[in-house]
Amino acid sequence: MSSTIWFAPWASGPAAASVYEGDVTGPAVVSVTQFTPHRPWTAMGVNIAGVVLRRSWRDVTGALGLWLWVDPDPRRPRSGSVSVWRDERGLKGFVARHDHVRIMRSYRDRGTTRSALWETERFDAEVTREAVRSFLSGRSEWPDAPSTGGGRT
């Protein structure tokens, strides 16, 4: 796996205290998604769709913030998001939104999707981003055990 993971700047959601992730306090739910296209040229469309969704992030109920990420490996590009939520209800509401469902349906046969979900008592942006970078780059295993603070895949 490539160790080059680029993160887009943090996009605050309406549930965040301010526009900087360091001001997010209290418990949070972190969701990480990864899309790996079967064919490299599919990556561009997925990335554009993610940027379009990001534009409406300030209107997503329950959202604390979001990073989009990309692994630019030309042979095996991957991309996805790290979204942070006040609670799981907000995440479920977003996943069910028409624009999100439409994108997921459009690309479901064009690649593989993987996700992880975990809860934290206090969101720490730097710690979260480093943990995500570690498992996306293959330095650590993807979280998969909710009882150990991991997540669901």
Side-chain angles (χ1 to χ4, degrees):
M1 251 182 237
S2 170
S3 62
T4 304
I5 306 293
W6 295 338
F7 286 89
W10 174 262
S12 289
S18 78
V19 297
Y20 181 70
E21 66 265 25
D23 292 336
V24 174
T25 59
V29 173
V30 178
S31 173
V32 180
T33 62
Q34 172 183 286
F35 179 78
T36 306
H38 296 313
R39 294 178 177 85
W41 52 83
T42 303
M44 183 62 73
V46 170
N47 293 339
I48 290 170
V51 169
V52 169
L53 277 178
R54 184 179 190 270
R55 288 183 185 161
S56 67
W57 197 248
R58 289 199 166 278
D59 301 324
V60 179
T61 303
L64 292 170
L66 166 79
W67 290 293
L68 296 179
W69 65 269
V70 64
D71 174 353
D73 184 333
R75 297 164 310 213
R76 190 94 169 135
R78 302 174 295 144
S79 60
S81 66
V82 180
S83 58
V84 184
W85 303 89
R86 183 56 65 205
D87 55 39
E88 206 167 335
R89 185 176 62 218
L91 170 61
K92 288 179 179 178
F94 173 72
V95 168
R97 274 181 31 168
H98 174 72
D99 51 354
H100 183 263
V101 169
R102 181 178 39 80
I103 291 167
M104 294 302 290
R105 286 182 179 159
S106 295
Y107 288 96
R108 71 176 161 206
D109 295 329
R110 299 181 191 186
T112 58
T113 303
R114 186 175 195 182
S115 65
L117 179 70
W118 67 88
E119 295 180 23
T120 181
E121 290 300 315
R122 183 185 168 280
F123 174 69
D124 183 311
E126 295 306 315
V127 169
T128 301
R129 191 168 37 199
E130 184 51 40
V132 170
R133 185 182 303 278
S134 180
F135 65 78
L136 289 176
S137 66
R139 292 189 318 245
S140 66
E141 296 293 320
W142 271 69
D144 62 6
S147 62
T148 61
R152 293 178 282 254
T153 58

